């Protein structure tokens, strides 16, 4: 009864849209300014519906993202799995945070992901990124409140 | 603020050990995947299957972009004009690619190196392909093309645009192919200084605007503005195509080598169309025969 309330279609659609948005062609020089959409959407669902999404779903979405972007298979998957774990662990606290605090927490999670990604890059011998690499979580911070409200509104309208 | 739906409170204590176990399982699975993918080609097939599955996502992304550009086209001019324009651009691109070799040929003639006349005397076979996507990751210079192994694309094939060499194919599926640009930091291309014939290797730096040539002999005659063309050594890239233009050379006295920096000739971050070139079909080098010219 409870699980039937979980809007699976909205979940799938939001993840799909986030993946499509992140692969839309854009000037490479401005790529760092793009928030990590898929991560933001996943964090939202892990805070709001922790019983229905899990670390497994984050893993498979990450694999999908790696396949779409032609990355090392597992790179995004690992990042999203860790993110999902953190979001699940703190979802009760995150849910009661005021919006600005929540956004800061999300930025911290995204920053943690950057550290992880930096580490993977170093190990796999990819280019070491420049300073802009570390600014991407700030763009995530900026869009989080709007994304949260949008997804919340869609979800509650469905009820 | 968001209100908590009443149903959620009953499950206040989700078993957190399950989460730790899940984390450990999936994280190690991801790590194992990465290591396998990095060290071997075992995942190659799985990768192409995955690429096929996610192809619709690329298609949607492409349709959304092309529909926007179509709307813009529609309002700026009439449809026939657009079609004609596209046709002309295609022919321009194919013509330019043949002209590209002219410069290197000229330089060769002045040096009377008839021995290298394999450049440009055979007609190259190539195919025009559209860019479907650039890499999600700005530090990973890869692009996705809309031609795949069903069009005869193969791994290692060279990629050009109307100004020079862009990169090479690294991955193919039947309907699409990934290519690595020459600016990727894990890419290297054998080049030749067009003016003097100095052979060296140009490495990507991770910046679209710069390649690095780390082993230039300090005594070499190299100036900013010199054109680097592909040397064709290593049988990857066809010889004689512009690769980059020398920007500057740095040499610290006492070092074994000077380091030069060059700007790629191809528009790596612009344009939507690229050319895929086939190596000249078993061009037997008749260079060992003495030229019968006067």
């Amino acid at each position: 009864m409870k699980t039937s309330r979980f809007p699976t279609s909205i979940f799938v659609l939001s993840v799909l849209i986030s993946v499509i948005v992140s692969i839309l062609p854009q000037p490479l020089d401005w790529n760092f300014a793009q928030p990590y959409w898929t991560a933001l959407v996943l964090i939202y669902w892990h805070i709001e519906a922790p019983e229905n999404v899990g670390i497994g779903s984050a893993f498979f979405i990450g694999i999908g993202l790696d396949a779409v972007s032609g990355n090392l298979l597992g790179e995004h998957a690992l990042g999203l799995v860790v993110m999902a774990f953190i979001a699940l662990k703190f979802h009760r606290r995150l849910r009661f945070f005021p919006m600005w605090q929540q956004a800061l927490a999300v930025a911290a999670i995204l920053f943690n992901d950057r550290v992880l990604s930096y580490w993977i890059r170093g190990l796999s011998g990819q280019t070491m990124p420049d300073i802009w690499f570390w600014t991407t979580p700030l763009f995530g911070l900026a869009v989080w409140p709007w994304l949260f409200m949008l997804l919340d509104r869609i979800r509650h309208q469905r009820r | 603020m968001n209100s908590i739906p009443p149903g959620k409170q009953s499950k206040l204590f989700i078993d957190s050990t399950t989460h730790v176990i899940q984390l450990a399982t999936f994280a190690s699975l991801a790590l194992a995947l990465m290591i396998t993918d990095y060290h071997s080609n075992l995942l190659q097939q799985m990768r192409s299957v995955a690429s096929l599955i996610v192809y619709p996502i690329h298609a949607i992304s492409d349709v959304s972009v092309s529909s926007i550009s179509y709307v813009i086209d529609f309002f700026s001019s009439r449809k026939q004009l657009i079609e004609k324009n596209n046709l002309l651009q295609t022919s321009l691109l194919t013509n330019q690619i043949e002209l590209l070799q002219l410069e290197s040929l000229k330089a060769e003639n002045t040096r009377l190196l008839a021995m290298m006349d394999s450049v440009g005397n055979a007609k190259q076979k190539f195919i025009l392909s559209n860019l479907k996507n650039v890499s999600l990751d700005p530090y990973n210079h890869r692009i996705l093309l809309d031609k795949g192994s069903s069009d005869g694309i193969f791994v290692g094939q060279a990629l050009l645009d109307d100004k020079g060499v862009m990169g090479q194919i690294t991955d193919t599926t039947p309907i699409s192919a990934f290519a690595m640009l020459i600016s990727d930091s894990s890419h290297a291309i054998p080049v030749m200084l067009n003016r003097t014939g100095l052979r060296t290797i140009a490495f990507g730096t991770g910046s679209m605007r710069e390649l690095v040539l780390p082993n230039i002999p300090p005594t070499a005659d190299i100036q900013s503005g010199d054109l680097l063309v592909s040397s064709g050594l290593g049988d990857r890239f066809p010889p004689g195509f512009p690769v980059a233009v020398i920007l500057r050379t740095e040499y610290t006295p006492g070092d074994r080598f000077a380091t030069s920096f060059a700007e790629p000739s191809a528009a790596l971050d612009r344009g939507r169309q690229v050319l895929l070139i086939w190596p000249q079909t078993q061009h037997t080098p008749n260079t060992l025969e003495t030229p019968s010219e006067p």
Side-chain angles (χ1 to χ4, degrees):
Chain A
M1 339 149 295
K2 200 193 322 143
T3 39
S4 68
R5 201 176 277 164
F6 178 68
T8 314
S9 56
I10 298 182
F11 169 70
V12 171
L13 209 64
S14 62
V15 169
L16 211 61
I17 290 174
S18 76
V19 172
I20 291 171
V21 166
S22 45
I23 60 165
L24 284 181
Q26 57 188 314
L28 268 173
D29 287 348
W30 288 95
N31 226 333
F32 69 87
Q34 190 184 43
Y36 194 170
W37 292 110
T38 314
L40 291 174
V41 168
L42 267 183
I43 291 173
Y44 172 84
W45 289 109
H46 278 92
I47 293 175
E48 290 297 309
E51 308 90 353
N52 304 102
V53 292
I55 294 173
S57 62
F59 175 79
F60 288 109
I61 291 165
I63 292 289
L65 203 54
D66 285 323
V68 169
S69 60
N71 264 336
L72 207 57
L73 272 185
E75 204 174 325
H76 283 107
L78 181 65
L80 289 180
V81 161
V82 172
M83 261 192 255
F85 176 75
I86 298 172
L88 277 181
K89 186 113 181 127
F90 296 108
H91 76 269
R92 250 168 269 123
R93 228 170 293 177
L94 285 170
R95 210 186 280 170
F96 289 110
F97 272 169
M99 184 53 85
W100 65 272
Q101 224 170 325
Q102 200 181 46
L104 279 180
V106 167
I109 295 177
L110 290 174
F111 188 76
N112 177 61
D113 174 64
R114 292 265 106 169
V115 174
L116 195 67
S117 149
Y118 192 80
W119 176 68
I120 296 171
R121 271 164 210 285
L123 285 185
S124 61
Q126 299 177 41
T127 331
M128 288 330 264
D130 51 15
I131 190 80
W132 292 108
F133 176 80
W134 302 102
T135 59
T136 311
L138 295 180
F139 294 94
L141 174 93
V143 297
W144 171 258
W146 314 109
L147 182 78
F148 186 91
M149 283 191 264
L150 178 75
L151 284 174
D152 239 23
R153 170 157 293 193
I154 296 170
R155 203 164 61 103
H156 286 287
Q157 262 176 2
R158 262 298 289 276
R159 289 238 164 97
Chain B
M1 222 40 259
N2 53 314
S3 59
I4 323 115
K8 292 228 170 112
Q9 280 165 335
S10 59
K11 232 181 184 178
L12 200 56
F13 300 102
I14 305 173
D15 193 3
S16 66
T17 45
T18 1
H19 286 162
V20 176
I21 293 169
Q22 276 183 338
L23 172 73
T25 319
F26 284 112
S28 41
L29 205 59
L31 274 175
L33 263 178
M34 269 189 282
I35 294 167
T36 329
D37 195 21
Y38 181 64
H39 284 290
S40 76
N41 290 327
L42 275 178
L43 292 180
Q44 194 63 42
Q45 276 201 318
M46 189 183 138
R47 193 180 255 290
S48 19
V49 172
S51 311
L52 273 181
I53 294 170
V54 297
Y55 188 78
I57 297 181
H58 278 301
I60 295 170
S61 137
D62 203 45
V63 163
S64 54
V65 170
S66 55
S67 57
I68 291 169
S69 58
Y70 179 78
V71 169
I72 294 168
D73 279 352
F74 185 80
F75 284 111
S76 55
S77 67
R78 300 241 298 282
K79 204 185 161 203
Q80 286 114 319
L81 272 176
I82 297 164
E83 272 169 7
K84 199 175 173 190
N85 193 3
N86 282 344
L87 205 75
L88 284 173
Q89 268 183 345
T90 313
S91 68
L92 182 69
L93 207 61
T94 46
N95 285 336
Q96 261 178 340
I97 210 85
E98 279 167 336
L99 274 174
L100 279 178
Q101 293 175 314
L102 200 66
E103 194 161 357
S104 101
L105 265 178
K106 261 196 277 183
E108 267 170 334
N109 277 341
T110 53
R111 291 202 306 273
L112 293 171
L113 285 174
M115 269 168 36
M116 289 182 73
D117 71 349
S118 65
V119 180
N121 57 4
K123 220 168 146 45
Q124 302 271 10
K125 185 193 171 199
F126 43 78
I127 184 173
L128 198 66
S129 169
N130 283 314
L131 220 68
K132 278 201 99 63
N133 196 9
V134 295
S135 174
L136 244 188
D137 182 346
Y139 305 100
N140 213 341
H141 294 177
R142 257 178 284 171
I143 53 177
L144 182 69
L145 306 172
D146 67 348
K147 295 278 192 303
S149 51
S150 60
D151 302 290
I153 309 297
F154 57 92
V155 172
Q157 191 168 19
L159 198 73
L160 306 145
D161 75 351
D162 55 337
K163 297 192 183 61
V165 178
M166 286 186 83
Q168 59 177 301
I169 302 290
T170 52
D171 240 330
T172 57
T173 71
I175 45 176
S176 64
F178 278 104
M180 181 188 272
L181 299 181
I182 52 171
S183 57
D184 190 291
S185 65
S186 51
H187 193 273
I189 171 173
V191 292
M192 186 177 78
L193 207 63
N194 199 32
R195 190 166 54 82
T196 62
L198 174 80
R199 284 187 306 271
T200 181
I201 294 174
F203 294 88
T205 57
S207 157
M208 291 254 165
R209 316 247 182 277
E210 216 168 64
L211 302 180
V212 64
L213 296 87
N215 31 23
I216 303 287
T219 53
D221 173 19
I222 185 165
Q223 296 164 6
S224 61
D226 280 355
L227 181 69
L228 291 166
V229 298
S230 53
S231 68
L233 297 175
D235 288 338
R236 261 288 148 95
F237 293 96
F241 285 99
V243 176
V245 176
I246 297 286
L247 290 173
R248 60 182 193 280
T249 304
E250 286 168 7
Y251 178 62
T252 321
D255 279 1
R256 192 175 293 216
F257 291 113
T259 305
S260 286
F261 296 90
E263 187 185 13
S265 307
L268 295 180
D269 53 353
R270 278 153 285 158
R272 300 261 305 162
Q273 284 173 326
V274 297
L275 284 161
L276 289 153
I277 198 155
W278 270 264
Q280 287 165 23
T281 43
Q282 301 304 316
H283 181 74
T284 42
N286 47 7
T287 48
L288 291 178
E289 300 159 19
T290 42
S292 54
E293 290 150 37

